[in-house]
Amino acid sequence: MEFAEHIKTANVEDVVLRQPLHPPSRGTLCITGHHLLFSDREESSSRQVLLLLRNIDAIEKSVENLLGYPGFFSNAGHSERPTDLSLEDQWDLSSPEKHYSQMKELHERWRLSSVNRDYLVCASYPPAVIVPHSIDDDTLKKAAKFRQGGRFPILCYYHRKNGMVIVRSSQPLTGANRKRCKEDELLLQAVIDGSDKGYIIDTRSSQQAQQARMTGGGFESKSCYSRWKRLHRQMERGKSLQESLIKLVEACGDESHNMDRWLSKLENSKWLSHVQTALSTAGLLAECVERDGHSVLVHGSEGTDCSLLISTLAQLIMDPHCRTMEGFLALLEREWVQAGHPFQHRCAHSAYSHARLQQESPVFLLLLDCVWQLWRQFPLALGFSEALLLRLASQTRRRPNTLKRFRRK
């Protein structure tokens, strides 16, 4: 029997639609075999909302509604924006301790470790981190010495649907002599305990990973990490990403009003190619966890840029709470501030500046653009709009220390 045959009332009057950053509006809600259609009753407004039924995660039935129909329909991750929510008050929404306490399912296999108290093991990690329960702190300290900057693998996301996880780190320091670290191997083995395999998404090309061995870096070899499958997805960073932004800004400032010239400059900037690569890599990460049911380790070289970028986007894709305003800000705090992204170095100058610092790179701005692209495609799936993204971009550019919260003793 088709779904349309189950519809008893196809049109409902006096329905209230509430969306983030928009005033409530009353109108008619029409349901078909495939869509929900909301039409504003105001004559001066031609506003309509068309929503696929398969995109609806939940429907809340209001007790006050005498007709028995919900006056508010919920799209995946959609939430109303609290009126008292201001950006300045939102940088204490998340911490490893809060994250761990909210995930009761974690407690059997994962624990909260204070191995990094006083930031002595890793200067860019928070004092507390979530690690496998079977791995003690001494093992973590030895594994940290085998990873660039001490960034040993730690948990950043737990998928409630199937128990799979995303962990992130920096590259292993195998070097030209193919060094091994049994503690690091034990740590990654514990991550996928009970599973047949895991994936490693390396944000460098295979050639770049091979070249890194010549300078002391490297990658996880198949012989030492036999249950992990390595996938390379090259993502630009550093100077090339900064130059791409500069060309994009120059294209936006072109006053010739020539469409062909504008499109040519836009294409030559390669900025949208970076956006596409980031979104597709995050999509791959989400597919590995959600569809294929495998845990994933994400890293590049330092693990403080592209790793955070695709981890954040993948969580935004998979977790409805991360698509609320409060959840999104908590995600940024957890994945960028506490995860050690060097805002002060990456965002020191704007694209208009003549100064070119070696460590400058608009990775966080690339994240905001990727989120904007998702918002444009799925406006009802996010509980915030471009106004928040613009505010974050503005604050990061003007005051990079605004998002930096590490308090070292």
Side-chain angles (χ1 to χ4, degrees), residues 97-217:
E97 293 86 351
K98 288 182 181 179
H99 193 207
Y100 184 76
S101 65
Q102 293 167 355
M103 292 285 192
K104 302 298 183 183
E105 306 93 328
L106 279 175
H107 296 184
E108 183 177 349
R109 290 190 53 235
W110 298 81
R111 68 183 180 91
L112 191 67
S113 170
S114 58
V115 66
N116 197 40
R117 68 173 68 88
D118 300 328
Y119 305 94
L120 296 179
V121 176
C122 177
S124 58
Y125 273 175
V129 292
I130 303 174
V131 297
H133 209 289
S134 59
I135 303 299
D136 58 34
D137 285 354
D138 287 337
T139 301
L140 295 177
K141 291 177 181 178
K142 293 178 181 178
K145 294 179 180 178
F146 187 66
R147 294 279 171 170
Q148 182 171 342
R151 294 177 69 87
F152 58 92
I154 61 172
L155 182 140
C156 64
Y157 177 68
Y158 175 84
H159 198 48
R160 282 190 166 102
K161 290 183 180 180
N162 56 19
M164 297 299 105
V165 299
I166 299 175
V167 294
R168 45 176 165 70
S169 70
S170 59
Q171 66 176 338
L173 302 178
T174 56
N177 296 326
R178 302 177 184 270
K179 296 177 184 178
R180 292 184 61 179
C181 177
K182 292 184 178 180
E183 289 77 12
D184 188 77
E185 295 170 19
L186 285 173
L187 175 54
L188 287 185
Q189 182 68 27
V191 170
I192 56 172
D193 183 36
S195 180
D196 58 337
K197 67 176 180 180
Y199 286 103
I200 298 173
I201 295 184
D202 194 325
T203 60
R204 305 167 295 179
S205 67
S206 178
Q207 182 180 5
Q208 288 174 331
Q210 291 282 355
Q211 291 174 345
R213 291 175 48 216
M214 300 300 103
T215 56

